[in-house]
Amino acid sequence: MALSVILPNFPSNSHSLSPSLHKHHKHHSYLLNLLTKSTSLSELKQIQAHTLRTTCPNFPDTLFLNSRIFHFSSLHDLDYTFRLFSQFQNPNSFIWNTLIRACANSEGKKDEVFGLYKSMLCDGSVMPDKYTFPVVLKACAYLFSIFEGRQLHCHVCKLGLGLDVYVRNSLIHFYGSCGCLDEARGVFGEKGERNVVSWNVMIDGLVRMREFDEAVRLFREMQMVFEPDGYVMQSMISACASLRSLALGMWCHCYVLRELGCEVFERMKKRDVHSWNSMILGLAMHGKAEAAIECFNCLVQEEGLVPNSITFMGVLAACNHGGLDVEEGRRFFDSMVNEYKIQPVLEHYGSLVDLLGRAGHIDEALDIIASMPMKPDAVIWRSILDACSKKSGGLELSEEVARQIFESEGVDCSGAYVLLSKVYAVANRWNEVGLIRNWMTDKGVKKEPGCSSIEMYGISHEFFAGDTSHSSTKEIYELLDVIDKRVEAIGYVPDVSQAPMVDDHELVDGKRHSLRLHSERLAIAFGLLNLPPGVPIRVFKNLRVCNDCHNVTKLISKIYNVDIIVRDRARFHHFRDGSCSCMDYW
């Protein structure tokens, strides 16, 4: 229905008829209601024309209605907004701010913002307020207008708005965006209120200028007073990538997943295939294979959506991480190729090969590799070598696979040496284990040190294998002694095959000692010492959890009645009451 049809037929210049105040107010309310429902510039113009024809210009409700018309026009057509602005005899601060904001949000008009600000000052009838400066400073930051921004800072101080948190945040953002970190620090350090945005923009400015160490330090301070949000996590992930800080980067990634997980998905009114893919991948990462498969079935059967290549990456990962029947993985792979006509990529083949290898179907996995239309990468070969390391025999195959890895990644690949040493250790070929260690020493290849981090009251604590640098080292090692006695009392026997890289002269006791000093055990002990009963212990590790630490962590969860979540390089492990979500399949 055309808007002109539903507009009331008030007589022209009805204000000359001096209608009652009640009638005027009712008419203005009606027009305002129409304005809020308008969806196009054409409807807006009809309402504006009708307002001019049927309302008293100086009536307070009319002034408010005109300001709302002006605001709505600024969202639709900037040229029309300028024409409306010229009709205001004495525009108030709201009108000026609306016009300035409209220009600041327009790609082609940002360079006019500071000129409008000067016009506002020259007008003299109204002064800029706390709503003016954030908009103008944002435009100056976008244009790197340092001189103009500094003038604005002087005006802020002159007008006594320096303590307003929103103005201060805009100044920090301006200086940080323009690379003026000393000025940004100065505003940030001034007395006054700080909200989460204050910390976000300061940290973002540091990251922009590649002051990554200081950004991380400030982030740790922020955690003491505010819960980080998605904005600052984005900055921190960039900082971690530049610093190559895997542990903190993994912590940031997992924090984001925790923020944007199942609850957000359940609240979504409309879910597309990308939303479902994120959910399936997240469930797979946490070892919830059945739930991931259920999501896939809902996507196809209930939502009627068509899965894509990413969907099947998630489903195959769920089969792999969840220890599902190999036949389930084969079925999904065949469905992807034959039913949905999706051409498998390297990641699909990699998941299937890993699934088959973990289940002991190494020959079938090799057949898949041979049938691939592309060259296998080192990740696929490492899956085969890892499968060989979990059972005795197959030394000749393992050596050939290791050669393939060295061809793909070079002889400096420490992971291949470690996996091959595990193969020899499982076969009790300790002389070969020693030879590998010597090879690594001769070639200068260093095994990546294990590092685990744990969040404690908003602060991340890092531990390396055998770490003695933490302030709580004495208490941690005393608790490890207690843990050793308690787990041995219920039948724990160390799996020394997971400590093959110790010196040849070390005996079993030495291997046991090296295992108990793995970084995740130090982090878990620290968590037991400091977290209240009932609070889960969350640990993030840069390497895969070894068999022995996995067994010990299961026992700790039972003995101390605590939930322990360990995110290693491959996936999440949820330990509870003596068992793990991965069902010992990782």
Side-chain angles (χ1 to χ4, degrees):
M1 180 180 294
L3 188 61
S4 56
V5 175
I6 60 175
L7 285 169
N9 188 25
F10 277 77
S12 298
N13 297 318
S14 61
H15 53 271
S16 63
L17 302 177
S18 301
S20 68
L21 182 64
H22 175 73
K23 187 176 181 180
H24 263 301
H25 183 71
K26 185 176 180 181
H27 178 50
H28 284 85
S29 298
Y30 180 76
L31 291 175
L32 186 61
N33 183 53
L34 283 181
L35 181 63
T36 59
K37 295 179 180 179
S38 66
T39 58
S40 68
L41 185 62
S42 174
E43 294 179 351
L44 180 70
K45 289 180 177 179
Q46 290 184 59
I47 296 171
Q48 197 260 339
H50 199 73
T51 301
L52 289 174
R53 188 169 63 89
T54 64
T55 62
C56 177
N58 297 321
F59 195 70
D61 281 358
T62 304
L63 296 175
F64 177 75
L65 181 59
N66 284 331
S67 70
R68 302 314 300 169
I69 290 173
F70 185 72
H71 170 72
F72 275 93
S73 73
S74 71
L75 303 177
H76 292 282
D77 189 315
L78 194 52
D79 291 334
Y80 185 67
T81 303
F82 270 98
R83 290 201 298 271
L84 288 181
F85 179 77
S86 65
Q87 297 176 15
F88 287 96
Q89 294 182 354
N90 296 301
N92 57 24
S93 61
F94 175 84
I95 299 299
W96 278 106
N97 291 343
T98 300
L99 183 63
I100 291 172
R101 185 178 296 107
C103 289
N105 292 333
S106 174
E107 286 299 323
K109 295 287 187 178
K110 285 183 169 62
D111 56 350
E112 297 183 21
V113 169
F114 192 74
L116 282 173
Y117 172 77
K118 291 197 295 184
S119 297
M120 182 181 185
L121 292 178
C122 293
D123 180 81
S125 62
V126 64
M127 294 299 292
D129 56 25
K130 64 179 182 181
Y131 301 106
T132 312
F133 288 106
V135 180
V136 184
L137 283 166
K138 184 178 179 181
C140 289
Y142 180 87
L143 297 169
F144 295 98
S145 302
I146 298 176
F147 178 75
E148 290 82 356
R150 284 174 172 156
Q151 289 185 67
L152 290 169
H153 191 176
C154 292
H155 291 179
V156 165
C157 296
K158 183 178 180 180
L159 295 174
L161 295 173
L163 294 179
D164 183 85
V165 67
Y166 301 105
V167 175
R168 289 181 65 204
N169 291 347
S170 300
L171 285 167
I172 297 168
H173 174 261
F174 161 72
Y175 284 125
S177 298
C178 294
C180 304
L181 286 184
D182 288 340
E183 288 92 336
R185 291 188 188 99
V187 178
F188 181 80
E190 290 174 357
K191 291 183 178 180
E193 180 188 356
R194 288 180 191 164
N195 59 15
V196 68
V197 178
S198 312
W199 294 87
N200 288 353
V201 292
M202 189 65 238
I203 291 171
D204 181 63
L206 291 167
V207 172
R208 284 171 182 264
M209 295 305 296
R210 305 188 66 79
E211 298 283 347
F212 303 120
D213 289 324
E214 188 176 353
V216 171
R217 181 192 63 77
L218 200 63
F219 175 71
R220 297 197 189 284
E221 287 186 21
M222 174 188 180
Q223 290 176 277
M224 298 178 185
V225 290
F226 285 109
E227 187 80 7
D229 60 10
Y231 183 95
V232 75
M233 297 311 298
Q234 205 171 21
S235 299
M236 287 309 303
I237 289 172
S238 297
C240 293
S242 299
L243 288 171
R244 298 182 180 180
S245 177
L246 180 61
L248 184 57
M250 289 170 62
W251 184 90
C252 293
H253 180 211
C254 295
Y255 186 93
V256 172
L257 289 177
R258 187 175 69 190
E259 289 288 296
L260 305 175
C262 298
E263 294 180 5
V264 174
F265 181 77
E266 292 297 333
R267 291 198 298 267
M268 293 176 68
K269 294 181 179 179
K270 186 177 181 181
R271 304 166 187 158
D272 58 11
V273 68
H274 305 295
S275 307
W276 286 97
N277 287 351
S278 298
M279 198 65 202
I280 291 170
L281 286 164
L283 291 168
M285 185 69 73
H286 284 270
K288 299 183 178 181
E290 291 82 2
I293 302 303
E294 184 179 344
C295 269
F296 175 84
N297 293 332
C298 287
L299 181 154
V300 174
Q301 298 170 9
E302 297 181 16
E303 299 290 332
L305 297 172
V306 178
N308 58 23
S309 177
I310 303 298
T311 314
F312 282 100
M313 284 183 189
V315 172
L316 289 170
C319 295
N320 197 359
H321 290 315
L324 297 181
D325 183 30
V326 171
E327 188 57 39
E328 190 86 355
R330 292 194 191 103
R331 182 177 66 81
F332 279 115
F333 191 89
D334 291 341
S335 173
M336 175 184 69
V337 175
N338 299 320
E339 183 178 354
Y340 293 99
K341 309 301 179 184
I342 296 173
Q343 184 67 35
V345 296
L346 197 61
E347 289 80 3
H348 295 120
Y349 284 112
S351 285
L352 183 60
V353 166
D354 199 24
L355 175 65
L356 293 168
R358 289 170 185 269
H361 301 288
I362 296 178
D363 290 338
E364 185 180 351
L366 291 171
D367 290 340
I368 294 292
I369 293 175
S371 69
M372 288 166 47
M374 71 284 290
K375 183 179 179 180
D377 63 358
V379 175
I380 288 181
W381 287 121
R382 277 202 298 268
S383 296
I384 298 295
L385 188 54
D386 189 41
C388 293
S389 73
K390 288 181 168 58
K391 65 174 187 176
S392 59
L395 292 180
E396 186 175 340
L397 172 62
S398 300
E399 291 167 347
E400 175 57 33
V401 171
R403 277 193 287 270
Q404 295 287 347
I405 297 174
F406 293 138
E407 286 182 10
S408 298
E409 290 195 340
V411 295
D412 295 333
C413 177
S414 63
Y417 288 106
V418 173
L419 285 173
L420 188 56
S421 70
K422 286 172 63 178
V423 172
Y424 289 130
V426 170
N428 290 318
R429 300 277 291 268
W430 297 104
N431 287 335
E432 283 83 352
V433 171
L435 284 174
I436 289 178
R437 182 179 179 84
N438 291 335
W439 289 342
M440 293 179 69
T441 301
D442 293 341
K443 296 178 184 297
V445 178
K446 294 184 179 180
K447 178 179 178 291
E448 183 180 359
C451 177
S452 296
S453 63
I454 177 172
E455 179 190 357
M456 193 72 63
Y457 304 113
I459 300 175
S460 182
H461 299 260
E462 285 187 350
F463 296 90
F464 288 87
D467 200 342
T468 58
S469 63
H470 197 275
S471 58
S472 300
T473 291
K474 182 175 181 295
E475 294 83 359
I476 289 171
Y477 280 81
E478 287 176 351
L479 180 56
L480 286 176
D481 289 336
V482 174
I483 290 173
D484 283 347
K485 293 175 182 177
R486 296 191 67 174
V487 296
E488 287 174 2
I490 58 176
Y492 159 71
V493 177
D495 182 354
V496 296
S497 67
Q498 297 292 292
M501 300 306 292
V502 296
D503 292 334
D504 295 343
H505 63 271
E506 291 191 46
L507 301 176
V508 172
D509 285 344
K511 296 178 185 295
R512 288 183 176 183
H513 182 69
S514 69
L515 287 170
R516 72 188 293 270
L517 300 185
H518 280 187
S519 61
E520 63 267 49
R521 296 202 194 180
L522 301 179
I524 291 170
F526 182 71
L528 289 171
L529 285 168
N530 292 277
L531 287 173
V535 175
I537 297 174
R538 301 176 184 274
V539 175
F540 309 104
K541 185 176 182 181
N542 63 333
L543 304 176
R544 270 190 170 180
V545 173
C546 72
N547 289 344
D548 190 73
C549 287
H550 194 269
N551 292 334
V552 168
T553 305
K554 288 195 298 182
L555 295 174
I556 291 174
S557 72
K558 184 176 182 65
I559 293 170
Y560 289 90
N561 190 29
V562 61
D563 287 359
I564 304 173
I565 299 97
V566 178
R567 168 61 161 101
D568 70 3
R569 173 172 282 177
R571 52 162 304 152
F572 283 88
H573 298 263
H574 294 255
F575 298 92
R576 173 180 288 181
D577 195 29
S579 62
C580 179
S581 59
C582 74
M583 296 178 288
D584 299 338
Y585 189 87
W586 83 102

